[in-house]
Amino acid sequence: MTGKRAAVVAVVVVLLAAGGFAFLPWTANHFGYALPGAGGLPYRIHHAGRDYHSTMTCAGAGWCAGDQSPCVPPARFGGDESSLTQVDEVSTLFGPPHAVFLTRPVPAGTPLTVLVRAGPGCFVGYGLMGGP
């Protein structure tokens, strides 16, 4: 009986540790999902079979842009939010997903940049990794 109890305790400890690792910034940045709360967007996201990166956000890891706001207004990319087309989402651990946008007209082929909505009127730009 004590062997079964020890096995159950070991399994519970491993599951709790794995769940805790999911909330680490390194894990979110590596696998491309957002952590809950402000500043939770990862360094790298995956869209349409390609990876995109941003130096302005890193899921709270502390090694990215620092004091600078990652927010870019949509006017900088050719208009307001109505000039953007939603093409994907970045999942968030225990939270709503963040929409991924392209500017209109949607480019044929692989887009070089995508925008991720971080909040109302706040978009974070991500650039293509690895070249076209």
Side-chain angles (χ1 to χ4, degrees):
M1 190 71 160
T2 54
K4 287 183 180 180
R5 180 173 280 178
V8 168
V9 168
V11 168
V12 168
V13 167
V14 168
L15 290 175
L16 289 173
F21 281 120
F23 284 96
L24 293 176
W26 180 91
T27 310
N29 285 314
H30 181 76
F31 291 106
Y33 61 86
L35 294 177
L41 285 175
Y43 161 77
R44 181 174 57 103
I45 63 169
H46 194 74
H47 165 67
R50 300 298 301 267
D51 287 330
Y52 292 82
H53 77 285
S54 173
T55 57
M56 299 302 292
T57 185
C58 54
W63 49 260
C64 55
D67 295 339
Q68 295 178 346
S69 171
C71 294
V72 176
R76 187 161 169 212
F77 292 94
D80 58 6
E81 196 167 331
S82 66
S83 67
L84 302 175
T85 301
Q86 183 176 345
V87 293
D88 205 349
E89 291 181 333
V90 174
S91 60
T92 302
L93 196 62
F94 298 114
H98 295 272
V100 176
F101 293 92
L102 293 175
T103 57
R104 288 189 189 146
V106 175
T110 303
L112 298 179
T113 59
V114 297
L115 297 171
V116 178
R117 180 187 289 134
C122 175
F123 294 86
V124 177
Y126 285 80
L128 180 64
M129 295 176 75

